[in-house]
Amino acid sequence: MRILLPSLALFLVACSEAEPRPPPTDRFVYPSGIHYRSVAGSTRGILYVSSANFDRCFDQGTVMAVDLDRVGTEGNRLPLLSESGANPAAPVVTLEQLNVLPESRVFIQSYAGELAYWDRADAAPRLFVTARADGDFIHYIDVPEPTRLSCVGTTGNNCIEGALSLTQLPGQTDDLPRAPAPFGVGVGAGGDVWVTHLSAADSPAGSAPSGLSKAFQSYVVRLPGDEPRVTTSDFFSLSIPDLPQGGSNSVVVDERYVFVSGRFDRYASNYTSARRFLLRVLDKTNPGRVIDPGLDLSFAANDSRGLALTARPAVSGAASRRLYMAVRAPDSLLIVNVDGSEGDSPRMSVVGSVPLPLGPTEVTLVPRGAGRAELVLVSCSDAGVVAIYDPDVGQVVAQVSVGQIRGIESPRPFGLDVQREGNSARIFASNFGDGRISVIDIPNLDSPQDARLVAYLGARQDVGQSATCTEVQQ
């Protein structure tokens, strides 16, 4: 008997290590992608949030449909946007209880990136979520009801089972094409889905660290939004001879062109070169045609992150459009004029730059109506703030802190989306660092400098048992 006891102990340890660790049902875990949806019959709307499970504390990440009318407790709900201007000195409300129903959450792979929403005319809306952990997946998730989520490709609530891998597909040669670390995702008006990837693809796979890669390639991947399928012909190279290589970060899908921001890659990018991959533009009518407008020749930055394009003018050729790009080193908002985006010869030129707080990451716009330029929102992860740039003033008019900076730790705001109501706006920012959603109100879009933090949604992940992977799941 004495001989068997150590073996039994090892068996028990092994069983303990193999025990399932489902993600929490009552909080976010490294929230990343985010989308706000106004719904008839709902006072506050619905928020779709992906959790990245970045520390791999749990077996999977999640996507949740959060009914903002249910968040909090009776008598302690999210303040209404319409009442935000009445009490500018009101304290910030913390609403830890999300009250998410079982049908309002599904499982995804870890390391979720951006999230895109497609409002289909002839079917239920659909979400697309990238994840760069094992498998390098993109998940298709239907929304048959505003707070009910359904995995495409499987009958259960584990969307990994029906997800598409962007690195493991038939027909590859020397492990190309593939899109390691899928991250950015955008949807065109016709339901065409475009995906970026942070890491350049080495060939063969895994050869980059040893310096033995025969080639590096960066792609943007086009997928059909109505059916999850992918082949090697859906990968379009962003590499241009004699121009810098790198990964790709975010994507904006316009009617004819796809705008892709470039991410510095420690293996593929040349540290000593003065050139950088900041922006590549692909022609959807001829996907083999890729344009590098040479923005790095006008503004020397290390790489670029999020980007946003202003709407097409009502009158063709009436005015230039603006492309706003978050770039790093130096951390700035790059302002780019875009002309001729309907024709064969689009032109892009840098017309300005604005210094930003540290770590500019995602960019989104807030329309203000005819005659007013859109406000530009930038999540600045390292600084822990959401910056608001007003083009009519030509400067950053507000920097709203979304949490406490402790040493090198930050709430790390990432994803952004906006609720519009009359001449007011509500900003939702996913705090990747502390696990909450920050809610920022602009009571009057004519005075964006008055933007203020009004609430936090969810419990913190960086304190107590949540910070040490020791919380017990119910």
Side-chain angles (χ1 to χ4, degrees):
M1 273 312 270
R2 206 174 301 145
I3 297 174
L4 296 177
L5 284 176
S7 299
L8 179 60
L10 289 172
F11 175 77
L12 291 174
V13 169
C15 286
S16 175
E17 290 177 350
E19 287 180 0
R21 290 285 297 170
T25 60
D26 57 351
R27 70 176 179 88
F28 310 116
V29 182
Y30 294 93
S32 52
I34 192 170
H35 177 78
Y36 173 80
R37 180 184 178 190
S38 178
V39 174
S42 171
T43 302
R44 297 172 179 83
I46 311 298
L47 198 63
Y48 303 102
V49 182
S50 60
S51 284
N53 187 35
F54 187 71
D55 58 0
R56 303 299 288 266
C57 186
F58 306 102
D59 294 337
Q60 304 100 0
T62 62
V63 174
M64 293 184 180
V66 182
D67 185 344
L68 296 175
D69 286 341
R70 290 175 50 86
V71 172
T73 58
E74 197 65 38
N76 186 33
R77 301 292 189 190
L78 180 64
L80 297 175
L81 174 57
S82 59
E83 300 172 354
S84 184
N87 189 5
V92 176
V93 177
T94 298
L95 304 171
E96 293 191 349
Q97 292 180 250
L98 299 176
N99 301 317
V100 175
L101 299 173
E103 64 266 26
S104 300
R105 57 180 178 266
V106 293
F107 301 124
I108 61 171
Q109 184 57 281
S110 298
Y111 298 175
E114 295 181 353
L115 176 154
Y117 175 89
W118 181 26
D119 193 6
R120 296 190 285 179
D122 55 353
R126 178 166 284 179
L127 301 172
F128 304 94
V129 186
T130 57
R132 57 193 187 277
D134 314 333
D136 295 295
F137 292 125
I138 180 165
H139 309 81
Y140 286 49
I141 304 169
D142 279 346
V143 190
E145 299 173 13
T147 57
R148 184 161 69 88
L149 302 179
S150 175
C151 300
V152 177
T154 181
T155 57
N157 64 355
N158 185 354
C159 294
I160 301 173
E161 296 172 358
L164 292 178
S165 172
L166 299 183
T167 53
Q168 303 167 16
L169 58 159
Q172 293 170 310
T173 302
D174 292 333
D175 298 323
L176 295 177
R178 72 184 201 284
F183 185 75
V185 58
V187 186
D192 46 321
V193 180
W194 298 81
V195 181
T196 67
H197 59 107
L198 297 182
S199 301
D202 53 357
S203 177
S207 60
S210 63
L212 298 177
S213 178
K214 294 185 291 184
F216 288 99
Q217 287 287 341
S218 180
Y219 302 94
V220 61
V221 188
R222 181 185 62 192
L223 305 168
D226 57 355
E227 181 183 354
R229 67 176 188 272
V230 62
T231 69
T232 56
S233 62
D234 297 316
F235 287 68
F236 301 105
S237 176
L238 296 172
S239 301
I240 299 176
D242 301 321
L243 287 181
Q245 296 265 33
S248 51
N249 192 92
S250 295
V251 59
V252 167
V253 185
D254 198 33
E255 184 175 328
R256 175 162 178 177
Y257 293 97
V258 178
F259 299 78
V260 181
S261 60
R263 184 77 172 255
F264 188 86
D265 183 283
R266 60 174 173 163
Y267 298 118
S269 302
N270 186 344
Y271 283 91
T272 61
S273 173
R275 299 294 307 273
R276 289 289 183 266
F277 166 14
L278 295 185
L279 180 70
R280 300 270 158 88
V281 182
L282 178 140
D283 185 348
K284 290 202 284 186
T285 67
N286 177 16
R289 178 187 178 218
V290 177
I291 303 165
D292 187 311
L295 302 185
D296 60 312
L297 297 174
S298 300
F299 189 89
N302 192 54
D303 66 1
S304 52
R305 302 300 171 98
L307 68 172
L309 181 65
T310 59
R312 188 183 301 277
V315 179
S316 180
S320 298
R321 302 170 72 184
R322 286 283 170 89
L323 180 69
Y324 294 97
M325 301 176 58
V327 300
R328 293 193 178 186
D331 292 4
S332 306
L333 179 67
L334 204 58
I335 305 169
V336 180
N337 263 7
V338 179
D339 295 293
S341 58
E342 307 96 336
D344 295 335
S345 304
R347 301 174 304 281
M348 284 141 277
S349 57
V350 176
V351 294
S353 64
V354 180
L356 287 174
L358 293 177
T361 302
E362 295 285 281
V363 182
T364 196
L365 305 177
V366 184
R368 290 192 287 181
R372 302 293 306 278
E374 297 95 330
L375 293 176
V376 184
L377 311 178
V378 185
S379 56
C380 298
S381 294
D382 295 348
V385 305
V386 173
I388 303 176
Y389 171 75
D390 186 345
D392 290 346
V393 177
Q395 64 185 31
V396 173
V397 295
Q399 297 182 33
V400 183
S401 174
V402 296
Q404 183 180 5
I405 302 290
R406 296 178 298 175
I408 61 172
E409 296 181 10
S410 159
R412 302 193 72 79
F414 177 75
L416 297 167
D417 207 4
V418 179
Q419 172 192 358
R420 275 291 311 277
E421 187 176 294
N423 199 42
S424 302
R426 171 163 284 176
I427 304 164
F428 297 93
S430 59
N431 285 11
F432 190 84
D434 69 24
R436 300 180 291 181
I437 303 298
S438 295
V439 184
I440 299 167
D441 282 356
I442 307 177
N444 185 345
L445 289 173
D446 295 328
S447 303
Q449 67 274 11
D450 295 333
R452 66 182 186 91
L453 181 71
V454 298
Y456 291 114
L457 311 182
R460 294 184 64 156
Q461 69 189 15
D462 57 344
V463 295
Q465 288 184 321
S466 300
T468 59
C469 282
T470 58
E471 63 182 312
V472 178
Q473 299 304 305
Q474 302 298 322

